[in-house]
């Protein structure tokens, strides 16, 4: 099995198009055409993890955080990033990162976070903007079903929990082909009028080339009329963070002890207790201070995230309990999820969970 075959499965789990613009996801080191011996899944692809991959005969390391995040001009081994990359290259080990591609997935980092706490009725906290497009096309009634079904098969027409969604209207068309035309209906040089169906479907913008390929392959016209629009609608099933509910509410202090136990955190920093019960909880794995207002707007009783600065605790505004449980801790079960996903998709192949603890933060 080649590394590119593993990558195809990883992109089922976390489409790279879901990643944030600032991020660096995908194949960071290595050649996708290399035969894969086995896969090591980790949180951070540090030098000690590359050593582990060498010892376990893994030539593909799948990491959550990208070891290459910002541009580098030299690789001399002077810091932890360069040392890990050098060692990977010297030992023909490829590195693939998922990061915010999995953060933004509805079954990704924050759903894993919610599941670890037992939260139900979950939904995205910060839905992704500028990610939906609409295709409008026109064809004769006899061709409409074929075109529509091909568009659905290519990924169009999915809205929330529904698929095969479209809007269709009937109308009339006119055309007159020139001497170089080859019309399927009518004759060139003559004005033709007929009945036509207008088909409208929405799709995730990264699917545009696939959608257009399906349209052109299944449309009968020589010149296919179509329009594509960018929609301002938020994508309710893609985005950062998540909000959910406990079956039974609990006291604030009991809640934090519960979180500390479930997420195996050695310390939690939190805002002032408000004397209110905790039932609705917002979570955002990793650095989530930007979403404090979203958590408040969602009506959350508490917001769990990490990397909060001193003044950001004031932003709770006595409206919710704000808690920093640790960056690694908020994402700690992600690598387990990746391993489980790969093992279900790729049978009889070595998918290994890294034993290295790459959390750089320690507590007294």
């Amino acid at each position: 099995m080649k590394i590119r075959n593993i990558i195809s499965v990883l992109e089922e789990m976390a489409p790279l198009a879901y990643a944030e613009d600032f991020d660096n996801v995908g194949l960071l080191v290595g050649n996708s055409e290399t035969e894969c011996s086995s896969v090591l899944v980790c949180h951070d692809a540090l030098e000690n993890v590359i050593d582990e991959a060498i010892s376990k005969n893994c030539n593909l390391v799948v990491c959550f955080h990208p070891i290459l995040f910002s541009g580098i001009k030299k690789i001399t081994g002077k810091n932890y990033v360069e040392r890990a990359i050098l060692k990977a290259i010297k030992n023909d080990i490829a590195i693939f990162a998922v990061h915010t591609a999995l953060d933004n997935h509805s079954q990704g980092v924050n759903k894993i976070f919610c599941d670890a706490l037992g939260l139900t009725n979950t939904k995205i906290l910060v839905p992704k903007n500028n990610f939906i497009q609409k295709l409008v096309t026109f064809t004769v009634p006899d061709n409409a079903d074929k075109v529509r079904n091909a568009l659905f098969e290519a990924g169009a027409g999915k809205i929330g929990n529904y698929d095969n969604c479209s809007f269709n209207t009937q109308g009339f068309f006119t055309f007159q082909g020139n001497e170089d035309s080859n019309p399927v209906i009518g004759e060139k040089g003559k004005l033709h009028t007929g009945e036509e169906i207008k088909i409208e479907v929405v799709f995730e913008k990264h699917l545009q080339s696939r959608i257009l390929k399906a349209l052109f392959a299944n449309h009968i016209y020589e010149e296919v009329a179509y329009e594509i629009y960018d929609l301002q609608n938020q994508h309710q099933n893609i985005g950062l963070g998540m909000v959910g509910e406990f079956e039974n509410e609990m006291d604030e202090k009991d809640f934090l002890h519960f979180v500390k136990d479930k997420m195996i955190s050695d310390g939690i920093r939190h805002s002032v207790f408000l004397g209110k019960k905790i039932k609705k909880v917002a979570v955002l794995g990793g650095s989530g201070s930007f979403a404090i207002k979203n958590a408040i707007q969602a009506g959350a009783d508490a917001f769990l995230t990490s990397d909060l600065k001193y003044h950001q605790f004031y932003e709770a505004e006595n409206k919710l309990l704000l808690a920093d449980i640790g960056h690694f801790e908020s994402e700690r079960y992600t690598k387990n999820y990746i391993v489980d996903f790969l093992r279900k998709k790729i049978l009889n192949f070595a998918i290994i969970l890294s034993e290295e603890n790459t959390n750089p933060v320690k507590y007294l």
Side-chain angles (χ1 to χ4, degrees), residues 30-326:
N31 187 337
S32 63
E33 293 301 317
T34 301
E35 285 292 330
C36 187
S37 56
S38 53
V39 180
L40 181 71
V41 179
C42 67
H43 202 83
D44 304 277
L46 304 179
E47 189 176 7
N48 60 326
V49 173
I50 303 302
D51 286 331
E52 182 184 13
I54 295 168
S55 69
K56 294 177 179 178
N57 192 34
C58 299
N59 68 342
L60 173 60
V61 171
V62 175
C63 54
F64 178 64
H65 289 140
I67 186 67
L68 274 172
F69 192 75
S70 54
I72 58 174
K73 295 183 178 181
K74 299 177 182 179
I75 305 179
T76 61
K78 69 176 183 292
N79 58 43
Y80 77 96
V81 173
E82 294 180 13
R83 288 192 295 273
I85 295 167
L86 275 175
K87 183 163 285 190
I89 292 172
K90 285 180 180 179
N91 291 276
D92 294 322
I93 294 173
I95 301 175
F96 187 96
V98 294
H99 205 211
T100 57
L102 190 56
D103 275 312
N104 275 312
H105 198 285
S106 61
Q107 299 300 312
V109 175
N110 296 292
K111 183 62 163 62
I112 299 165
F113 197 164
C114 287
D115 288 347
L117 297 175
L119 295 173
T120 59
N121 301 322
T122 56
K123 63 180 182 179
I124 299 294
L125 179 64
V126 187
K128 199 167 182 63
N129 291 311
N130 304 315
F131 204 73
I132 304 174
Q133 293 182 323
K134 178 192 277 190
L135 169 71
V136 179
T137 190
F138 311 82
T139 191
V140 292
D142 288 346
N143 184 227
D145 285 343
K146 184 178 180 181
V147 168
R148 230 182 346 256
N149 291 334
L151 295 175
F152 295 154
E153 184 68 25
K158 293 182 179 179
I159 304 175
N161 294 324
Y162 298 86
D163 55 25
N164 291 3
C165 301
S166 68
F167 187 76
N168 305 269
T169 50
Q170 290 184 320
F172 291 90
F173 68 85
T174 63
F175 73 79
Q176 181 173 323
N178 62 25
E179 292 182 357
D180 296 324
S181 66
N182 185 28
V184 177
I185 300 170
E187 299 178 31
K188 60 184 175 182
K190 294 184 178 180
L191 181 66
H192 186 72
T193 301
E195 186 180 354
E196 201 167 49
I197 303 294
K198 178 182 180 182
I199 302 170
E200 301 179 58
V201 291
V202 296
F203 59 93
E204 295 175 4
K205 66 179 183 180
H206 67 284
L207 299 175
Q208 184 183 121
S209 61
R210 188 193 305 178
I211 299 295
L212 291 178
K213 183 178 179 180
L215 173 64
F216 298 146
N218 292 275
H219 207 295
I220 64 170
Y221 288 177
E222 181 183 23
E223 295 290 346
V224 180
Y226 71 95
E227 303 160 1
I228 290 180
Y229 301 95
D230 290 324
L231 302 184
Q232 294 185 1
N233 305 49
Q234 292 180 323
H235 197 306
Q236 297 300 317
N237 284 337
I238 301 175
L240 296 168
M242 195 159 275
V243 61
E245 297 179 342
F246 287 120
E247 183 178 352
N248 299 307
E249 61 185 22
M250 60 181 83
D251 293 330
E252 293 164 307
K253 200 166 187 178
D254 292 339
F255 165 70
L256 290 182
H257 280 295
F258 172 81
V259 172
K260 187 176 181 181
D261 176 62
K262 291 294 183 181
M263 305 308 293
I264 317 176
S265 175
D266 288 326
I268 294 179
R269 298 185 302 140
H270 62 87
S271 60
V272 63
F273 285 140
L274 302 175
K276 62 186 293 187
K277 300 291 186 180
I278 305 297
K279 184 174 178 64
K280 191 172 187 179
V281 179
V283 307
L284 200 155
S287 302
S289 61
F290 65 89
I292 295 173
K293 290 181 180 179
N294 299 83
I296 292 172
Q297 290 170 358
D301 303 310
F303 178 36
L304 304 175
T305 188
S306 70
D307 299 342
L308 297 176
K309 296 180 181 179
Y310 174 87
H311 290 94
Q312 289 168 338
F313 282 94
Y314 289 129
E315 295 179 28
E317 294 282 2
N318 293 324
K319 294 179 180 178
L320 50 58
L321 177 64
L322 185 57
D324 184 332
I325 74 166

